[in-house]
Amino acid sequence: MSPTGDHDRAASARAGFRAALPYAAVGLVLSMSFGILARDSGFSAEATIVMSAIVFAGSAQFAAVSILASGGTATAAVAAAALMNSRFLPMGIALGPSLPGRAPWRAAQGQAVVDASWAMANRGDGTFDRWFLFGSTAPQYVTWIVGTVVGALGGDLFSDPSRFGLDAIYPTFFLALMLAEVKDRTTLAVAVVGGLVALSLVPVAPAGLPVLAASLVALWGLRRAGRAA
């Protein structure tokens, strides 16, 4: 590899690192909230930290913990987390051609995909800058782990999350995710119907089922969008 090529890679990674710092700061607060909620839900500090290190997916982690905390089964928790993370399948398919090497090596590189990094690494022509992707994911991963550790080991300092407003981060986080996706009437309809389905099932259905049922509304939305196209 030429010195110029190495320089371009390093420059791209540094640019990605700088671009991701705001997202990393937000992730620090979110993961701190996750650490607190997981401990309050009965998780050990070790299990909480390991989950963040391995899963590294905010929406999936919050969903799984909330279902288990409300009495849901592990199967429901895993299914909800899988649905939350199903968006990474098409994202990975789009990214794949921009990654070199055999399938196992491309899969390993694909572990760096998170929402913000994937979007920022998109060159706009169907290709992705993988070094920008790596650089932008690095600080987000570090702050996600650091925040989880602080939340999980905070002890009495964070025994009452409402003192710091951290209890509001969880619903606000999902509301922000939803608002970011509401771009037309179809997605708005999916959001409203999904919310109504969940609300109607919460009083009568086992924990976890309302989340899964509401997620299935997206299939209706996808079919509707396909017809419109």
Side-chain angles (χ1 to χ4, degrees):
M1 177 60 62
S2 67
T4 300
D6 289 339
H7 174 76
D8 290 344
R9 290 180 174 183
S12 186
R14 286 195 298 268
F17 186 94
R18 291 191 297 268
L21 290 179
Y23 298 98
V26 172
L28 178 67
V29 179
L30 281 174
S31 60
M32 188 184 304
S33 177
F34 169 75
I36 296 169
L37 291 172
R39 289 303 310 277
D40 288 346
S41 299
F43 281 63
S44 68
E46 293 80 3
T48 301
I49 296 168
V50 169
M51 185 179 187
S52 276
I54 295 176
V55 179
F56 184 37
S59 59
Q61 291 180 225
F62 276 111
V65 167
S66 64
I67 289 173
L68 292 173
S70 58
T73 65
T75 299
V78 171
L83 283 173
M84 290 287 186
N85 280 351
S86 62
R87 68 189 184 280
F88 288 115
L89 179 59
M91 291 166 67
I93 291 173
L95 174 67
S98 298
L99 301 178
R102 296 182 180 274
W105 177 232
R106 292 200 305 274
Q109 295 175 78
Q111 300 308 303
V113 173
V114 293
D115 297 282
S117 299
W118 182 87
M120 291 189 295
N122 191 341
R123 294 190 177 105
D125 60 357
T127 64
F128 292 79
D129 184 337
R130 66 188 180 109
W131 290 101
F132 191 102
L133 176 76
F134 300 155
S136 58
T137 295
Q140 295 181 77
Y141 184 76
V142 170
T143 57
W144 188 258
I145 301 303
V146 170
T148 301
V149 170
V150 172
L153 300 178
D156 294 337
L157 177 62
F158 298 111
S159 59
D160 182 9
S162 62
R163 289 174 54 199
F164 304 92
L166 293 177
D167 56 323
I169 292 179
Y170 172 62
T172 302
F173 173 68
F174 280 102
L175 180 61
L177 288 178
M178 183 195 73
L179 292 177
E181 294 298 325
V182 177
K183 301 174 182 177
D184 51 44
R185 292 182 178 179
T186 297
T187 52
L188 176 60
V190 169
V192 172
V193 174
L196 292 174
V197 168
L199 286 174
S200 65
L201 290 177
V202 164
V204 297
L209 185 58
V211 175
L212 297 178
S215 299
L216 293 176
V217 176
L219 298 178
W220 165 73
L222 184 62
R223 183 177 181 182
R224 181 175 175 178
R227 288 178 176 178

